[in-house]
Amino acid sequence: MSQTAKIAIIGTGFSGLGMGIKLKEAGYDNFVILEQSDDVGGTWHENHYPGCACDVQSALYSFSFEQNPNWTRMFAQQKEIQAYLRSCAEKYDLMKHVRLNTHVAGARFDEKTQSWTVETCDSPKLWAYMQDKGLNPGDKLNRKDKGLPKFSTFKADVVVSGMGGLSTPAYPNIKGIDTFTGKSFHSQDWDHDYDFKGKRVAVIGTGASAIQFVPEVAKDAAHLDLYQRTPPWIVPKPDREIRSLERMMFRKFPQTLNAFRQSIYWMLEARVLGFVGNPRILKIGELQARRHIRNQIKDKELRRKVTPDFHFGCKRVLISNNYYPALAQDNVDVLTDGIREVRGNMIVDNNGHEREVDCIIYGTGFKAQDPIPAGMVHGRGGQDLLDAWKGGAEAYKGSAIAGFPNFFMLMGPNTGLGHSSMVYMIESQIQYVLDALKKMDKHGWKSVEVKEDAQSQYNASIHAKLGDSVWQTGCKSWYVNENGKNTTLWPGFTWQFRQQTKRFDAGQYVCEPEAVEAG
Ligand code: N01
């Protein structure tokens, strides 16, 4: 493959693949999709812990242009979603554009040519090197080290990041954790060869990932200690198998699948009224969650421990039918005294009680506030994107950033959802970026860069809206950064975002006609 491309897309999740498909449909063929992993699927390839599934109904959690009549459950499991994404890549002939095992180490905007230089390297070699050196994802590399794998570069006019918001694992900062003598791994790096039978296992964290894998681990482990800092609100999961007759109907009459999808969409959209409008509506959800605890847990002390004391909806509301029953098992303890330190093969709580464990699983989530690693993306004047984001990540329409011409983000700042399917947001952004590319071609613009004041005004309106919502004020969560700025969520109906991103609004951009002469 050549070392130049018109467009370089990073990532092969819903964002990267969706962008590729839409580019092809629009007649673009000169693009590459760079993927550091050994297969496509993004988060649905990377996360494969037992019990991993989507908490949005499968009929909605799929591309609108590639609805899948063959989902086997109302809420699809990880394997099925990854297979769906791979089948999309194959069906739309994208694999010839995809470069697997290609880690993007950096992307730098060249002001003379008004294009990007993207630096890549072979990811398996890089992971091996990092493991050897004891480095974690995101750690700075010593470029002078001769053992570092070779880097290569190529030029692209436009870079589209489809890296997702939740891909760098977050580990807890606990004294002695690096010296733990047993086995340990993060939920995203699950070791399927590790046999839990007869083992004492500690799980740290009780978020969306943990509530899915805890019931699976508790089936096998001799004992499971669950270290809970904040109990989540959990409501019943309306999951069931989709019968073969229903699947046949969806295949024969695609309009029925679409109608089903629409009904789910509008049901989820209605929730926004509670999140940003009238928090009293959320009381209904809270009552449902409290009833769920009563129905599934008999022990009063355990009920007390797992009942949250923060506003319903402030953190992601989780869905599960098997988490509480797992916690009620005899071989499971829910521990709420916090962790003071890890010593040898022992976890010591804040009261000084020691518990021996063979394995620690980190269900501690991701670095959501830094969706792009420091030192990776450099814009005009060599500015590091993370420096531009010192006060917290922000973008215009979640897609473009002042100082970073021809760089577009999918799932960028303030496009996340606490209530519905991210695929809808991704498709909205893809349409916006595609329209930008078409207009660049039509008008002969070599680069487009959003104006600073357009970005500021846009963000001011977003934050004014977030100010009243439960997502901003209801509790401490990863939606909000340490300065109290919510950099992650879209504070409205998703169709409002769709309207805003329908057309590329060139008036808000500086559009440069052609490259300045190099040299
Ligand atoms: O991570 P989380 P996750 N000591 O950040 C706790 C998406 N997702 O991987 O709440 C002790 O939600 C932390 O406690 P607290 C989805 O968007 C989607 O579970 O901060 N505990 C919390 O309990 C989700 O929101 C699906 O007090 C510590 C947990 O670790 C996002 O991924 C499925 C700690 C982290 O929870 C992340 O979910 C799965 C410490 N030092 C995930 N640090 C779908 O179905 C953190 N915790 C689409």
Side-chain angles (χ1 to χ4, degrees):
M1 215 176 278
S2 79
Q3 290 304 302
T4 60
K6 186 178 171 68
I7 304 147
I9 301 168
I10 311 174
T12 61
F14 273 99
S15 297
L17 294 182
M19 189 76 237
I21 292 169
K22 288 294 157 186
L23 283 177
K24 274 199 102 109
E25 281 182 357
Y28 290 91
D29 204 45
N30 186 6
F31 66 92
V32 290
I33 313 183
L34 308 167
E35 171 55 60
Q36 63 181 350
S37 201
D38 59 357
D39 202 352
V40 300
T43 196
W44 296 107
H45 176 54
E46 294 302 313
N47 287 276
H48 40 73
Y49 55 77
C52 185
C54 187
D55 56 14
V56 175
Q57 285 90 334
S58 41
L60 186 62
Y61 198 79
S62 39
F63 290 125
S64 61
F65 53 84
E66 192 56 40
Q67 294 184 32
N68 178 14
N70 300 317
W71 293 119
T72 60
R73 298 200 69 82
M74 296 294 276
F75 292 83
Q77 292 179 347
Q78 171 263 335
K79 269 202 175 101
E80 210 173 355
I81 303 173
Q82 203 240 339
Y84 164 80
L85 284 169
R86 196 188 300 119
S87 75
C88 288
E90 282 158 9
K91 176 173 174 184
Y92 290 89
D93 199 17
L94 279 189
M95 290 313 284
K96 67 178 187 202
H97 298 269
V98 174
R99 294 187 190 181
L100 296 174
N101 294 317
T102 304
H103 170 77
V104 174
R108 191 171 280 273
F109 185 68
D110 179 343
E111 287 172 55
K112 286 184 183 148
T113 59
Q114 295 180 71
S115 63
W116 286 85
T117 301
V118 180
E119 195 181 30
T120 64
C121 74
D122 180 286
S123 38
K125 283 188 190 154
L126 183 66
W127 307 153
Y129 167 85
M130 290 180 73
Q131 199 173 11
D132 194 43
K133 297 274 170 189
L135 296 169
N136 286 317
D139 284 354
K140 211 169 158 46
L141 299 171
N142 174 8
R143 290 304 188 98
K144 289 190 180 140
D145 187 343
K146 289 212 171 74
L148 199 63
K150 249 181 86 187
F151 287 80
S152 39
T153 55
F154 70 87
K155 294 268 183 192
D157 292 343
V158 171
V159 172
V160 181
S161 165
M163 287 192 279
L166 302 169
S167 52
T168 309
Y171 291 89
N173 185 11
I174 295 172
K175 186 180 164 198
I177 208 145
D178 292 337
T179 60
F180 176 59
T181 52
K183 173 84 182 170
S184 65
F185 50 84
H186 189 274
S187 61
Q188 186 173 261
D189 300 315
W190 202 270
D191 184 349
H192 291 273
D193 292 333
Y194 187 76
D195 186 0
F196 291 107
K197 288 207 177 75
K199 302 283 175 22
R200 293 186 63 88
V201 181
V203 172
I204 304 178
T206 53
S209 303
I211 71 148
Q212 292 182 335
F213 68 72
V214 160
E216 303 303 319
V217 176
K219 280 180 195 164
D220 289 336
H223 188 84
L224 192 154
D225 283 339
L226 178 60
Y227 286 89
Q228 172 192 276
R229 188 163 69 180
T230 316
W233 284 110
I234 303 176
V235 295
K237 183 174 182 174
D239 194 16
R240 67 167 175 81
E241 198 186 320
I242 299 177
R243 289 178 282 274
S244 56
L245 201 67
E246 292 171 292
R247 294 205 294 270
M248 198 176 73
M249 183 185 70
F250 289 152
R251 273 194 297 271
K252 272 198 137 173
F253 307 103
Q255 60 276 32
T256 57
L257 177 56
N258 194 45
F260 182 46
R261 178 184 167 98
Q262 291 297 326
S263 68
I264 296 167
Y265 173 78
W266 288 109
M267 189 186 70
L268 297 184
E269 278 298 271
R271 291 184 184 174
V272 175
L273 296 171
F275 287 124
V276 293
N278 184 353
R280 272 176 301 182
I281 296 175
L282 295 176
K283 271 280 167 209
I284 300 167
E286 184 179 324
L287 290 174
Q288 190 191 19
R290 287 183 185 279
R291 194 166 54 236
H292 195 38
I293 295 174
R294 284 198 304 276
N295 287 345
Q296 294 207 305
I297 299 178
K298 285 202 180 75
D299 180 73
K300 279 199 176 145
E301 175 56 12
L302 184 56
R303 278 185 190 171
R304 186 192 63 74
K305 277 186 184 173
V306 301
T307 302
D309 63 358
F310 61 89
H311 285 283
F312 183 90
C314 165
K315 290 178 191 242
R316 193 178 178 87
V317 175
L318 307 182
I319 53 171
S320 175
N321 299 333
N322 60 357
Y323 177 66
Y324 289 141
L327 302 195
Q329 282 177 209
D330 288 343
N331 66 334
V332 177
D333 284 330
V334 177
L335 305 171
T336 54
D337 288 330
I339 300 176
R340 181 191 291 170
E341 68 173 303
V342 174
R343 200 187 305 137
N345 68 341
M346 218 93 79
I347 294 186
V348 187
D349 74 13
N350 283 331
N351 294 327
H353 296 131
E354 298 172 344
R355 295 171 82 102
E356 243 177 63
V357 287
D358 300 301
C359 174
I360 300 177
I361 307 173
Y362 301 110
T364 42
F366 300 88
K367 292 185 178 171
Q369 295 300 333
D370 295 336
I372 290 191
M376 181 173 179
V377 175
H378 295 268
R380 198 179 281 291
Q383 188 183 29
D384 186 333
L385 181 52
L386 281 214
D387 285 336
W389 280 352
K390 257 191 192 129
E394 67 169 50
Y396 179 65
K397 301 192 173 176
S399 311
I401 304 145
F404 295 79
N406 292 7
F407 178 77
F408 294 103
M409 285 186 83
L410 303 174
M411 287 181 75
N414 294 103
T415 61
L417 299 177
H419 73 287
S420 187
S421 169
M422 275 314 294
V423 184
Y424 185 91
M425 298 298 274
I426 289 168
E427 283 191 44
S428 305
Q429 289 192 277
I430 288 173
Q431 162 58 28
Y432 187 72
V433 175
L434 192 64
D435 197 41
L437 292 167
K438 285 182 184 167
K439 288 200 168 112
M440 286 173 79
D441 281 349
K442 183 174 167 198
H443 298 287
W445 296 327
K446 179 74 178 155
S447 74
V448 292
E449 177 185 351
V450 71
K451 294 173 186 167
E452 245 171 64
D453 58 343
Q455 184 174 315
S456 308
Q457 278 170 26
Y458 176 81
N459 277 277
S461 72
I462 290 261
H463 292 291
K465 208 162 178 190
L466 272 164
D468 294 335
S469 75
V470 69
W471 293 314
Q472 182 68 35
T473 55
C475 66
K476 187 174 177 297
S477 78
W478 63 255
Y479 295 153
V480 178
N481 74 7
E482 59 202 24
N483 306 321
K485 181 173 171 181
N486 188 321
T487 62
T488 52
L489 288 192
W490 166 251
F493 295 102
T494 59
W495 51 263
Q496 291 172 316
F497 186 71
R498 171 84 33 117
Q499 275 182 337
Q500 285 192 8
T501 48
K502 217 170 200 147
R503 266 177 286 281
F504 178 69
D505 39 357
Q508 305 294 349
Y509 287 73
V510 177
C511 306
E512 295 285 352
E514 58 190 58
V516 178
E517 198 57 39

